Amino acid sequence: EQKLKPANSVVVRHILCEKHGKIIEAMGKLDKKELPFDKVAELYSEDKAKKGGSLGSMARGSMVGPFQDVAFALPPSTCNKPIYNKEPVKTKFGYHIIMVESRK
């Protein structure tokens, strides 16, 4: 497994759903590679993130704990071939699927 260099910020996208059932449905779409990550985000995500679930660049310390832990553990990937957490991350906002586009 590729060892990631330490990073201070990540460019991150996510899908956020309040209900566990809905996030599992969204993850199913990703697992089947039916749609790119940004399209699944547009269909399923319940937050106000810009188009395609993008949160832009997020510095270490600016995200809630469990979300940050996953974001910094993921290798960079693209919407068409996303690498994302296989178990939804639970935070006070709901359940998240996270992918990282770049690390600095």
Side-chain angles (χ1 to χ4, degrees):
E1 209 176 304
Q2 180 189 357
K3 195 83 179 101
L4 293 169
K5 291 187 183 76
N8 291 316
S9 69
V10 285
V11 174
V12 67
R13 287 180 186 266
H14 78 147
I15 298 165
L16 170 66
C17 300
E18 207 178 307
K19 301 264 188 297
H20 189 259
K22 191 170 179 189
I23 202 83
I24 294 301
E25 201 179 309
M27 196 167 269
K29 295 269 184 220
L30 292 171
D31 290 344
K32 290 193 192 101
K33 300 176 175 47
E34 286 177 19
L35 292 165
F37 193 96
D38 54 337
K39 293 288 179 248
V40 177
E42 283 173 25
L43 289 172
Y44 286 91
S45 194
E46 293 165 5
D47 77 336
K48 303 291 178 271
K50 294 183 263 330
K51 287 267 182 250
S54 179
L55 296 172
S57 183
M58 301 284 282
R60 194 182 285 279
S62 69
M63 297 165 267
V64 287
F67 186 100
Q68 175 167 289
D69 294 344
V70 170
F72 279 98
L74 287 166
S77 62
T78 63
C79 284
N80 287 332
K81 291 189 175 173
I83 300 170
Y84 50 91
N85 50 305
K86 297 301 182 190
E87 289 293 317
V89 178
K90 175 113 172 74
T91 69
K92 63 184 178 188
F93 303 107
Y95 296 93
H96 307 260
I97 303 169
I98 304 164
M99 68 160 283
V100 168
E101 293 184 295
S102 66
R103 299 163 54 90
K104 279 201 183 93

